Amino acid sequence: MVLIRTLIATTLIATAFHAPAHAQPADIDFTRPEVVAGNLQIPWGLAFLPDGSALVSERNSARILQVRPGAAPVEVARVPGVSASGEGGLLGIAVSPNYAQDRYVYAYHTAASDNRIVRFTLSAPGTPTLIRGGIPKAGIHNGGRIHFGPDGMLYASTGDANQTGNSQNLQSLAGKILRLRPDGTVPPDNPYAGSLVYTLGHRNVQGFAWTAAGQMYATEFGQNTWDEVNHIVAGGNYGWPVVEGNGSDPRYRNPLVTWTTAEASPSGAAIIGDTLFAAALRGTRLWRVPLPGGTPDSVLRGTYGRLRHAAVAPDGHLWILTGNRDGRGTPAPQDDRVVRFPPGDGGGGETVFEDDFETDKGWTAGPADTATSGRWERGDPEPTTYSGATIQPGNAATGANALITGRTAGSQAGANDIDGGLTTMRSPQITLPTATRLTLTFSSYLSHLNNATSADYLRVRVAGTTVYERLGAATQVAGAWQQSTADLTAYAGQTVQLEIQAADTATASLVEAGVDTIRITRS
């Protein structure tokens, strides 16, 4: 949104935080995802403890879970007084920068009459201390993200609480970014004397982060036209509800980036080097925004559905939270999930083999296939549904074509689904390099109705060994692209073929599958 050209008493964080003069662009390897936790209920906030484990808040359950790779999530707190309704509930969480001494965890939550910020210790989570209340609440636009800045102050984003006039009203805490001392009192160097308000004119900020040089950026939900990324400066006015997107009024600051609301609806944000990562809900992707300016691009488009948050772990991994169980998404198996991606090697890994199925690269059908219909072919998936569930998603994971079954279904779901057994596609021969780590990455879906069984499946095989398998079940599962990986290091130095298999063992059931953008990388 927009900014004030003449600022009152600004105190830039950068004056208290020093960093290298030339930060480097982010290098995250998105070909190596790791699901840290699954089957969560509307995860919303994420903060890291000093030991590298993460705390994840669940909006409606009021639970805080401790998650770490290779272990099941553990409930460590349940915040009392949470009133979960609409977009409200237990929202952002933050860990004290002095956690080793004070053990404090902070939470932003919706209560019966307002939004509040509380703090507590994990040893006594049932007796939180109220840090700040009186933040207007509503069924929508509650803001809710909290983070400690590099200056040691606690920052909180608030929504306009569905009352647009709140955003320009300095007497209201709604539609603002607030700056608090850790005990909730007003810092003496805030831009408005005696006020927690740091910036105003916001509709609904749900993500913000800082560069290494102390520059602050925030993501913001637009109304009907423009979502935004803004450079946040003390005392800035970002224009809502007078301006949405770019404007010409010098009283308001213009955004760094705008998107249509269908492309983004951005929530949580993280910054690595000179790149801001913005988790997109409606846009179902992760945006990468060059800082302080440049053309954004996106990754993970449609791979995990709605994305609620992105955060950087102490070890440099990028973590994301999915948001498919908030009533506006289509949950996939294991949703909602916490997924992390490792730092790259400077180029995301050297590609050994890649096929996005836009052209014919020599895949062949299995000679011993038994399926009587719905065999694999290269083509564009058609949008089909059955009983409200997506069977074919209507788009490839990338580009126009994918490897799919049931393509000639037209408008009738299941008219050409897999029937009677197995269908197979084999890649051309692939020579793998020696003495290296090899990772297979691909996008896929397996859709079926509740008459499927575990005898139905999607498999990826290498040299006759299954490296990935997804089984059917007696539940209705929609066709939604998901990204998966498999470790192929054991095949280093060999010449192999990839084999993609799908099977439906009964003619009465409806099973379809798709695979797209297969890549083998070395690192």
Side-chain angles (χ1 to χ4, degrees):
M1 288 181 168
V2 268
L3 306 159
I4 292 183
R5 302 291 169 109
T6 341
L7 299 178
I8 340 174
T10 63
T11 302
L12 294 179
I13 295 173
T15 61
F17 188 83
H18 303 283
H22 301 287
Q24 297 300 312
D27 180 23
I28 296 296
D29 188 351
F30 289 102
T31 70
R32 293 164 56 194
E34 178 185 2
V35 177
V36 180
N39 300 307
L40 305 186
Q41 299 300 313
I42 318 180
W44 210 98
L46 187 154
F48 293 95
L49 293 171
D51 66 0
S53 65
L55 299 179
V56 176
S57 62
E58 290 185 329
R59 188 184 74 186
N60 286 18
S61 71
R63 297 193 307 167
I64 294 178
L65 306 172
Q66 186 175 13
V67 300
R68 64 178 81 238
V74 176
E75 180 179 334
V76 292
R78 193 173 295 240
V79 179
V82 172
S83 178
S85 178
E87 295 176 0
L90 177 59
L91 303 177
I93 55 175
V95 172
S96 167
N98 299 312
Y99 183 83
Q101 290 76 42
D102 60 34
R103 317 300 288 182
Y104 284 138
V105 173
Y106 291 72
Y108 183 115
H109 75 84
T110 309
S113 60
D114 58 359
N115 285 306
R116 301 178 175 185
I117 301 172
V118 298
R119 75 179 181 191
F120 50 88
T121 64
L122 296 181
S123 61
T127 55
T129 299
L130 178 65
I131 296 302
R132 177 58 57 175
I135 302 169
K137 61 167 277 190
I140 57 175
H141 302 180
N142 291 291
R145 198 67 63 189
I146 57 174
H147 295 301
F148 278 92
D151 58 355
M153 297 295 110
L154 181 64
Y155 291 74
S157 64
T158 70
D160 67 9
N162 204 27
Q163 298 292 324
T164 59
N166 285 334
S167 298
Q168 292 293 326
N169 180 3
L170 278 171
Q171 304 309 308
S172 172
L173 295 180
K176 310 294 191 299
I177 293 177
L178 309 179
R179 180 173 181 257
L180 307 79
R181 284 174 162 172
D183 63 0
T185 58
V186 178
D189 57 349
N190 268 8
Y192 301 98
S195 173
L196 294 174
V197 173
Y198 190 68
T199 60
L200 70 157
H202 298 290
R203 183 172 182 265
N204 194 25
V205 170
Q206 287 190 0
F208 58 88
W210 291 265
T211 66
Q215 299 297 305
M216 185 178 181
Y217 294 86
T219 58
E220 179 146 1
F221 287 87
Q223 183 173 28
N224 298 314
T225 309
W226 299 116
D227 293 327
E228 303 172 358
V229 172
N230 287 291
H231 178 205
I232 301 299
V233 298
N237 188 328
Y238 292 78
W240 179 254
V242 182
V243 180
E244 178 183 0
N246 287 292
S248 57
D249 191 324
R251 294 176 298 171
Y252 309 122
R253 293 189 67 100
N254 279 323
L256 175 69
V257 169
T258 60
W259 299 287
T260 65
T261 54
E263 292 176 301
S265 298
S267 188
I271 294 175
I272 302 176
D274 290 337
T275 303
L276 179 142
F277 293 90
L281 289 163
R282 186 178 173 193
T284 65
R285 69 196 78 176
L286 187 68
W287 282 102
R288 297 187 292 196
V289 181
L291 300 174
T295 302
D297 68 352
S298 64
V299 292
L300 308 181
R301 183 172 180 175
T303 305
Y304 297 102
R306 292 164 60 84
L307 302 184
R308 172 61 68 182
H309 192 28
V312 185
D315 63 2
H317 280 67
L318 181 68
W319 292 44
I320 61 170
L321 305 180
T322 69
N324 295 311
R325 293 192 177 276
D326 63 358
R328 296 173 178 172
T330 302
Q334 297 186 51
D335 272 343
D336 274 316
R337 289 168 283 175
V338 181
V339 186
R340 71 171 187 163
F341 302 88
D345 60 0
E350 177 188 347
T351 298
V352 175
F353 172 84
E354 183 174 19
D355 195 349
D356 58 7
F357 299 103
E358 297 305 296
T359 59
D360 184 358
K361 292 189 177 179
W363 291 71
T364 56
D369 286 0
T370 56
T372 56
S373 68
R375 293 190 177 187
W376 287 113
E377 59 181 307
R378 185 176 63 86
D380 55 330
E382 301 176 7
T384 60
T385 60
Y386 189 93
S387 297
T390 298
I391 302 302
Q392 283 191 44
N395 60 278
T398 59
N401 294 315
L403 190 64
I404 56 173
T405 66
R407 179 170 175 256
T408 59
S411 60
Q412 183 179 357
N416 193 40
D417 67 315
I418 309 167
D419 271 333
L422 177 70
T423 176
T424 304
M425 287 293 277
R426 292 191 178 97
S427 74
Q429 298 283 340
I430 304 168
T431 300
L432 301 176
T434 59
T436 186
R437 176 175 179 175
L438 298 168
T439 302
L440 170 68
T441 307
F442 59 95
S443 295
S444 67
Y445 67 83
L446 179 69
S447 60
H448 54 75
L449 304 182
N450 57 11
N451 54 7
T453 72
S454 59
D456 308 321
Y457 57 81
L458 170 66
R459 288 176 182 160
V460 178
R461 293 162 58 85
V462 178
T465 300
T466 299
V467 297
Y468 171 87
E469 181 178 72
R470 185 170 170 186
L471 302 179
T475 58
Q476 184 165 299
V477 174
W481 291 107
Q482 299 180 52
Q483 191 174 71
S484 301
T485 63
D487 187 352
L488 301 190
T489 305
Y491 303 96
Q494 301 180 28
T495 298
V496 300
Q497 282 182 292
L498 301 179
E499 191 172 75
I500 312 297
Q501 296 184 336
D504 180 7
T505 56
T507 57
S509 57
L510 192 163
V511 178
E512 293 188 11
V515 171
D516 198 6
T517 315
I518 291 176
R519 182 181 295 110
I520 300 174
T521 56
R522 63 181 293 177
S523 58

